[in-house]
Amino acid sequence: MCGIAGIFHLETPKPVDPARVEAMCDALAHRGPDGHGIWTAPGVGLGHRRLSIIDLAGSPQPMASLDGRAMLVFNGEIYNYRELRQELKEAGASFRTDGDSEVILAAWQRWGPDCVSRLHGMFAFAIYDLDARTLFLARDRLGVKPLFLAPLSDGSLAFGSELKALLAHPLLRREIDPLAVEDFLAWGYVPDHRSILKGVTKLPAGHSLLLRHGVPMPRPSQWWDVSFEHRHKGKAADLEAELLHLLRQAVSSRMVADVPLGAFLSGGVDSSSVVALMAEASANPVRTCSIGFDVAALDESAYATQVAQQYHTDHASRLVSPDDFEAIDVLAGMFDEPFADASALPTWRVCQLARESVTVALSGDGADEALAGYRRHLFQYNEDRVRSLLPQGLRGPVFGALGAIYPKADWAPRPLRAKTTLLSLAGDSAEGYARALAVTSPELREGLYSDTFRRLRGDYRAEQPLFDVMRSAPARSGLDRAQYADLKVWLPGDILTKVDRTSMAVSLESREPLLDHRLIEFAAALPESMRVHGGQGKWLMKRTMRRFLPEDILYRPKQGFVTPIAQWFRGPLAQTARDIAASKTLARTGWFDTRRLTMLVDAHLSGISDNSRLLWQLLMLEKSLAGLGIG
């Protein structure tokens, strides 16, 4: 796990100043405190910050191929590198190190751009081929590892693991993209199809980019996708056995490390499953860590302790006060772009705890997206059944009219929020799912914006890219399309961004075994009844893990990390809420109706409505703009 950065001149191969590459890498020092290196040649510069995990002394980067014809910088882990190494040796390759970095170089020299399809792991890397004078950039299938790109005014392309690296380059323009603001206010993060800064892009997950001097930059090429078009036909018992095999394979392959390794343990199904399979594969006690809250309604630590005791793990637990808002400034600085998933705060705290004893931690991320574990998947499944019974010509006018007049009930569980359900049923499957995912509805955003911002935004709406993904998905059903959108948009934009930034902020490598692509592909072909069944999501996974975990772990209501922002904004952060409405930074943008902001703050403080998620978004936006030196 590391940080990479570089500069490539697309036109004339001008000299690259090593100091610029070094400054970009210095901005990523937290990602790689164990080593650093810079390499330049005409028209190209590569930089690396290393967090040593495998072959601690023998794989410094930038790394040259054995024949000196290719140079690599790499962030991530290749879990099948030993098998690939043997295959390449049998084909005539030689190796001087014991790590996975040199395997990528040898794979590139044998298979060229097709090498990525043979790599099982999480990665973002750059290879400069000195013979072909090309730069090859690639990102892993699910987008576990990030890669930011920015064309610059001198004809070069800058790239780096975080926006911080690009911000260290003096030629980067710091102009906010208003479409990214619309995206952020809709979803609570800036999706991978955009960046907060105009001109900055992100290499999409499962894509690569091959650049040549003197040739205009092409569009990224997709090298992997997941399909929901097919269905397994086996019996439940056979599919259960296959799922267990894939789970074991995914977990054991991610336990290879030359440094202390452990796992996050929340006490939920996913992290408990990972820990159970780690314990099965390990001769020594697994190191686990969890955090609890000093508010009983938010605390899951007892369940984590239960699993830790069952598997005799070396368990560390820490109680964290939910009143942890003093860390907000530090948290906002980790992400560069505005990021309003409030669970980032406890995620960062558990990463800090893990880093006290390990350098690598396995997480349970990915199972909800792959196996339909979110409540919204159940709603989507049920709502699509209703949609199939009534034509759009009837649903739209009837449910739309009812939804428009029905009172908003922020306080109620979603099944009782009839307004949300009615508006969802009024649209098609994609429109309904967009409402389920959105932090702020289109109506709320529209009332928030000023006329100035509406002109800047034009006809664009944040939901449109999600509609496009869902409507063109290789899928059979609305549930398929929802899960496909989760894997393509929500997962890389929110979940994996959160885990990458909070773990790397403390120089911790997080690995996600439940995002093994073979497991993802298997899950995508499961019949809907083996994903959603009897009012339960992740049905086949829970059935599979019955021999490992008790029922109160498998079947209790899903909770996850919770941050009490609604209480914060009515208590210790009440003044902060008032300050948002009067923010000079936000006012200078001219994007918002300040009277509307004041009304939303007053309504929240008085308890009339819960506007805490929107207030948190605006707070994160304000802090992000300040961090970027804008406003």
Side-chain angles (χ1 to χ4, degrees):
M1 189 68 66
C2 308
I4 65 173
I7 298 170
F8 180 80
H9 281 278
L10 288 158
E11 300 168 5
T12 306
K14 303 173 187 175
V16 172
D17 183 356
R20 284 192 174 175
V21 181
E22 188 165 11
M24 294 169 71
C25 285
D26 286 347
L28 303 174
H30 53 285
R31 298 184 73 94
D34 298 331
H36 62 92
I38 304 294
W39 174 85
T40 61
V44 63
L46 303 178
H48 187 261
R49 295 290 312 208
R50 187 181 187 201
L51 177 63
S52 300
I53 303 294
I54 293 173
D55 191 20
L56 303 185
S59 295
Q61 295 185 44
M63 176 180 284
S65 60
L66 196 61
D67 60 11
R69 294 177 179 176
M71 188 68 66
L72 165 80
V73 287
F74 159 52
N75 170 31
E77 301 290 348
I78 306 302
Y79 302 121
N80 66 329
Y81 80 96
R82 289 172 174 167
E83 296 88 341
L84 276 178
R85 178 191 179 94
Q86 185 59 37
E87 180 182 352
L88 289 162
K89 286 178 76 172
E90 290 171 359
S94 298
F95 295 89
R96 62 188 184 278
T97 69
D98 295 321
D100 53 356
S101 301
E102 195 175 14
V103 170
I104 298 176
L105 279 166
W108 161 262
Q109 292 191 301
R110 179 159 182 79
W111 297 303
D114 290 339
C115 69
V116 287
S117 64
R118 296 178 178 256
L119 305 177
H120 299 174
M122 55 179 185
F123 54 82
F125 64 78
I127 295 178
Y128 185 73
D129 190 306
L130 281 83
D131 287 344
R133 300 174 74 239
T134 60
L135 180 73
F136 182 67
L137 302 171
R139 190 175 177 199
D140 64 66
R141 293 167 178 84
L142 278 306
V144 179
K145 292 292 100 189
L147 192 61
F148 287 76
L149 314 169
L152 302 176
S153 60
D154 65 351
S156 66
L157 177 79
F159 62 89
S161 296
E162 296 181 26
L163 184 56
K164 285 180 180 63
L166 305 187
L167 291 168
H169 197 295
L171 295 183
L172 184 76
R173 283 194 314 154
R174 301 194 182 202
E175 182 181 352
I176 297 295
D177 185 346
L179 305 190
V181 176
E182 158 78 357
D183 285 335
F184 168 69
L185 286 171
W187 312 123
Y189 58 92
V190 179
D192 271 12
H193 59 254
R194 207 173 307 285
S195 166
I196 192 63
L197 295 181
K198 278 187 177 179
V200 176
T201 61
K202 302 159 190 171
L203 185 64
H207 282 65
S208 61
L209 190 60
L210 185 63
L211 305 171
R212 289 182 172 84
H213 297 298
V215 176
M217 189 167 81
R219 294 175 64 86
S221 174
Q222 183 170 348
W223 62 270
W224 181 85
D225 198 6
V226 61
S227 174
F228 285 79
E229 291 179 311
H230 309 289
R231 292 287 187 264
H232 296 304
K233 297 186 184 298
K235 296 179 180 178
D238 296 331
L239 294 174
E240 181 182 331
E242 187 171 354
L243 177 57
L244 181 57
H245 168 72
L246 290 168
L247 288 167
R248 282 172 166 155
Q249 180 179 251
V251 169
S252 61
S253 68
R254 284 157 178 78
M255 293 176 67
V256 177
D258 296 331
V259 293
L261 175 142
F264 302 125
L265 179 57
S266 69
V269 174
D270 306 334
S271 66
S272 298
S273 297
V274 169
V275 168
L277 295 175
M278 288 177 72
E280 180 186 65
S282 178
N284 300 311
V286 176
R287 299 182 186 184
T288 57
C289 65
S290 65
I291 60 168
F293 294 100
D294 59 6
V295 176
L298 306 178
D299 187 36
E300 289 187 293
S301 60
Y303 295 104
T305 301
Q306 179 183 349
V307 175
Q309 290 173 346
Q310 179 179 346
Y311 286 100
H312 305 284
T313 72
D314 180 4
H315 188 60
S317 181
R318 180 169 297 160
L319 201 64
V320 176
S321 169
D323 294 333
D324 203 12
F325 47 81
E326 288 129 1
I328 289 174
D329 286 329
V330 177
L331 188 73
M334 292 177 195
F335 290 90
D336 303 319
E337 298 185 297
F339 187 82
D341 185 337
S343 68
L345 195 51
T347 301
W348 175 42
R349 290 306 190 200
V350 79
C351 288
Q352 288 178 312
L353 176 60
R355 191 61 178 91
E356 293 177 9
S357 59
V358 302
T359 311
V360 177
L362 273 61
S363 82
D365 294 306
D368 288 318
E369 290 78 8
L371 289 148
Y374 291 118
R375 284 189 289 270
R376 63 177 183 256
H377 293 142
L378 290 171
F379 298 136
Q380 181 76 1
Y381 177 73
N382 291 327
E383 288 171 3
D384 271 344
R385 295 172 72 180
V386 175
R387 291 186 185 97
S388 68
L389 299 173
L390 297 171
Q392 173 65 36
L394 176 63
R395 280 190 294 107
V398 173
F399 289 130
L402 289 172
I405 63 173
Y406 204 91
K408 193 169 182 285
D410 294 319
W411 49 269
R414 190 181 163 194
L416 302 179
R417 295 181 201 171
K419 185 179 186 73
T420 302
T421 302
L422 290 168
L423 290 173
S424 179
L425 288 170
D428 68 11
S429 185
E431 292 165 342
Y433 199 60
R435 284 192 176 274
L437 281 174
V439 179
T440 57
S441 68
E443 296 82 10
L444 179 56
R445 298 197 308 274
E446 204 61 32
L448 191 65
Y449 294 146
S450 66
D451 291 339
T452 299
F453 186 82
R454 291 192 191 97
R455 285 193 296 271
L456 291 171
R457 182 196 56 177
D459 294 333
Y460 177 75
R461 298 297 181 272
E463 290 80 6
Q464 192 57 54
L466 185 77
F467 295 162
D468 294 343
V469 168
M470 291 187 68
R471 290 167 182 166
S472 64
R476 289 188 179 193
S477 69
L479 178 61
D480 291 347
R481 292 183 176 87
Q483 288 184 249
Y484 184 83
D486 279 353
L487 291 169
K488 293 293 181 176
V489 182
W490 157 268
L491 184 73
D494 186 302
I495 303 299
L496 295 178
T497 295
K498 173 182 67 179
V499 175
D500 177 79
R501 302 304 190 278
T502 55
S503 61
M504 293 312 300
V506 297
S507 305
L508 175 77
E509 173 170 299
S510 175
R511 297 179 179 177
E512 291 79 18
L514 303 183
L515 286 177
D516 187 294
H517 71 277
R518 293 160 295 188
L519 179 59
I520 297 293
E521 290 166 352
F522 169 82
L526 285 174
E528 285 185 320
S529 62
M530 293 193 188
R531 288 176 266 158
V532 174
H533 187 80
Q536 288 280 335
K538 287 189 294 200
W539 181 81
L540 187 65
M541 181 174 178
K542 291 174 182 177
R543 176 186 169 104
T544 302
M545 295 307 297
R546 286 179 304 175
R547 72 190 77 176
F548 296 94
L549 298 170
E551 290 211 353
D552 59 342
I553 297 294
L554 291 173
Y555 296 106
R556 67 186 174 85
K558 183 176 178 61
Q559 186 170 336
F561 276 150
V562 179
T563 304
I565 54 174
Q567 296 94 311
W568 283 1
F569 282 126
R570 290 193 183 112
L573 293 185
Q575 186 57 49
T576 301
R578 297 186 185 95
D579 292 343
I580 291 171
S583 166
K584 293 181 180 178
T585 298
L586 295 181
R588 277 194 290 268
T589 66
W591 297 336
F592 303 111
D593 181 333
T594 54
R595 291 176 301 173
R596 177 67 173 158
L597 284 181
T598 301
M599 290 171 58
L600 289 167
V601 170
D602 290 343
H604 183 82
L605 293 177
S606 65
I608 294 173
S609 59
D610 181 358
N611 298 318
S612 58
R613 294 178 73 185
L614 176 59
L615 295 179
W616 185 259
Q617 283 181 282
L618 293 169
L619 179 60
M620 291 298 104
L621 177 61
E622 179 189 50
K623 291 187 177 298
S624 179
L625 293 175
L628 292 168
I630 296 168

